[in-house]
Every structure is written in C-alpha cells, then in structure tokens.
Amino acid sequence: MSDLELPQGITAADVNGLPAWRIDVPGGRALVYAQGAHVAEWAPAGADEVLWLSEQAVYSPGKAIRGGVPICFPWFGPGRSGDRKPAHGFARTATWRLVGAETDEQAATLRFEITGDDVADLGGFPADFTASYSVQVGKELVLALTVTAGEQPLDFEEALHSYFTVDATGVRIGGLEGAGYLDKVTGTQQVQQGEITFTGETDRVYSSEAPVTMGDDTAGRVIVVDKVASSQTVVWNPWVDKSAAMGDFGDDEWQTMCCVETANCVDGELHLAPGESHTMVSRTSLA
Ligand code: TA6
C-alpha cells in the first residue's frame, strides 16, 4: 500500500481482503481499490449509490471486480485481433500505484499510475508506456485516463466500463438518437432510433461523443454521463441468459443495472507516436 500522506477525507482500508481507499468529503463518497484503480462505489452527498456492484462479485487478486468502473486497457473485449487475453486488457487487474491524493472544500482527487513494469503479463503489448488515472470524487465523479507512449508507438483501445444502478426494465437512455452502432448481439451495423430501452440482451458500440442520460423513474433520478476525447459509447445489459452464464453475476441482477461506457475502441482505436499522450475523461453526475 502507498506510504503517501493522505489528507482528511481519504482513508486507506482493507475491503473484502483487498487494499482500498474510502473517500468521504462534503461533495460525495466513494470506494476505490488499488487493484485496477477500480472505483467500486460513488454517490454525491445526500444521494443513493450511483454505481452498481454484483452481490456475486469476486474480490481476489487478478479477478476483475464485477461492477463499479473497470478500466479496459490496452484492448477492449478480445481486442481488434479477437484473440487478446485477458478480456478487456490487463489494466483492471493490475495493481495501480497511488501517486497523489488531494482534497479541496468539496471534492477529493486520487491519482494512480502504472507502467509496463507494474504488469505481470503484458500479452504482447509494449512495456514502454505510462497510464495515469485521476479519480475526482464529489458531487460529480470525474475520471481521466491518460496514456503516454514511451519510445515505441502505441496502438490501443480503452474504456471506462461503468456499471450503473438503474431499473433496467424501465430505464430510458437518451443522447444516442441517430448514432450508428455495432450491434454485437446480431453482428450488424444499425442506427439508433429514439431512446434506448432494454427488451433483451443489449451489447452495442455507438459512434458518439455526445452526453448520455439514463432516466430512471423507479429511482426518481437521471444519471448523466458526459465525456471528453471519447469517440465510442458502449451500452450493455446482459439480460437473462448471459447473467445466468456469469459466475460473478446474480441470475436476476440484470434487472438492476446497465453499463454506459466511455470508450475509444473498435474503429476508435487510438494510435500514439513515441512520447505522445492522450487523455479520455468521463464525468458522471445526477441531473
Ligand atoms: O462492454 C460490454 C462487454 O464487452 C460485453 O460484451 C461483456 O463481455 C461485458 O463487456 C463484460 O465483460 P467481462 O470481461 O467484464 O465479463
């Protein structure tokens, strides 16, 4: 665990057997694990939890936590080649180093970092890179992932694979109207007509830089995801069969969640020249 001096409002803790930090500041509260710099919980002050965690989640070194905001890097799913392992890359199971922790009147910011030296199995990805991740907790959750190439060029995908607590049988997802998308369930290219509602397994990669809203009448709230330098938005609900097929996902839990992911993946794969950096930002708030 980092020996960084932590300001009031940020507390190191052992949670479910994993090193983590609990954040409790006037603007909001959160829980972040060192493994994957994984934001597992976030809520603005006075509000119910916004992120979603499976009750079947496994908390074990090297196993991605089912829920919260897993960092997908340096590939998405099986990658462009279709054979990259582990799925969604090594970032979400690597132990990120805490390199900074600050607070102001309302919010707390934690800064994490990994390089190739922090990763046991790079899966063929160049070791000469730096990934930095800033987690700002307050009335908004602002996540910024910066990738910097070393002396080799970098080709990579990335996603902040955010799980949200919603009534999936009623939530209305807006902001993607008219956007083209890859429907991974049917393997076809489609164009979004109107709001998204879930009526079955949904796994779509939208080409869009627009903010997305999740209108949840059951919870009486609207979750807003805004973003910077992200050309894809992924929308996922596993529905019945996929939920039953995942060991770390309760059979009925599909009803209580959806993913809206801030990404640069598939056709939005990024290419950095030696020494070049790219920062993607995801900002979640309640309307
Ligand atoms: O973002 C949606 C997705 O790519 C789905 O296809 C599904 O695989 C999901 O991610 C979860 O992936 P994981 O490796 O965390 O089980």
Side-chain angles (χ1 to χ4, degrees):
M1 196 67 158
S2 163
D3 54 7
L4 208 64
E5 186 175 338
L6 299 174
Q8 186 176 5
I10 302 174
T11 309
D14 190 84
V15 180
N16 295 308
L18 295 176
W21 293 270
R22 291 195 182 283
I23 296 102
D24 192 349
V25 290
R29 60 191 186 278
L31 172 65
V32 188
Y33 287 93
Q35 175 172 270
H38 196 128
V39 179
E41 300 172 9
W42 169 72
D48 293 337
E49 178 60 45
V50 177
L51 302 181
W52 179 90
L53 278 172
S54 171
E55 291 177 9
Q56 311 295 327
V58 174
Y59 297 89
S60 171
K63 168 67 178 167
I65 297 167
R66 179 67 65 188
V69 185
I71 299 174
C72 302
F73 171 81
W75 50 80
F76 186 76
R80 303 300 311 279
S81 60
D83 61 1
R84 304 305 291 265
K85 292 186 185 313
H88 288 321
F90 48 69
R92 64 180 180 169
T93 50
T95 298
W96 290 61
R97 287 173 281 105
L98 183 69
V99 297
E102 300 98 31
T103 56
D104 62 23
E105 304 73 39
Q106 285 295 313
T109 300
L110 284 74
R111 303 179 199 287
F112 297 89
E113 186 177 283
I114 56 168
T115 68
D117 295 340
D118 298 301
V119 180
D121 180 359
L122 288 159
F125 192 73
D128 190 7
F129 75 92
T130 301
S132 306
Y133 189 50
S134 165
V135 177
Q136 181 184 315
V137 173
K139 69 180 177 56
E140 298 178 334
L141 176 65
V142 184
L143 305 173
L145 178 61
T146 299
V147 177
T148 302
E151 296 185 0
Q152 286 183 283
L154 289 185
D155 297 338
F156 64 96
E157 298 172 292
E158 58 185 3
L160 298 175
H161 194 299
S162 305
Y163 288 74
F164 295 102
T165 293
V166 296
D167 172 4
T169 64
V171 68
R172 293 169 287 100
I173 299 176
L176 293 167
E177 295 82 352
Y181 66 90
L182 167 64
D183 184 330
K184 291 170 60 179
V185 175
T186 62
T188 60
Q189 289 288 344
Q190 306 286 341
V191 176
Q192 183 58 38
Q193 307 299 324
E195 291 180 317
I196 301 164
T197 55
F198 295 115
T199 57
E201 180 186 353
T202 305
D203 193 348
R204 302 174 182 175
V205 181
Y206 288 86
S207 294
S208 173
E209 300 184 359
V212 169
T213 57
M214 289 164 263
D216 184 354
D217 296 340
T218 304
R221 68 183 184 186
V222 178
I223 302 170
V224 182
V225 178
D226 200 347
K227 55 185 197 168
V228 175
S230 158
S231 55
Q232 275 80 31
T233 297
V234 181
V235 176
W236 182 54
N237 183 286
W239 210 249
V240 177
D241 294 346
K242 276 284 172 63
S243 298
M246 291 183 281
D248 60 349
F249 201 109
D251 290 358
D252 297 331
E253 286 188 317
W254 60 270
Q255 300 175 47
T256 62
M257 56 70 68
C258 73
C259 287
V260 172
E261 305 161 38
T262 298
N264 288 298
C265 62
V266 195
D267 298 345
E269 180 185 38
L270 295 173
H271 309 282
L272 294 184
E276 191 179 8
S277 282
H278 179 276
T279 297
M280 175 177 76
V281 181
S282 178
R283 179 189 306 269
T284 303
S285 57
L286 295 182

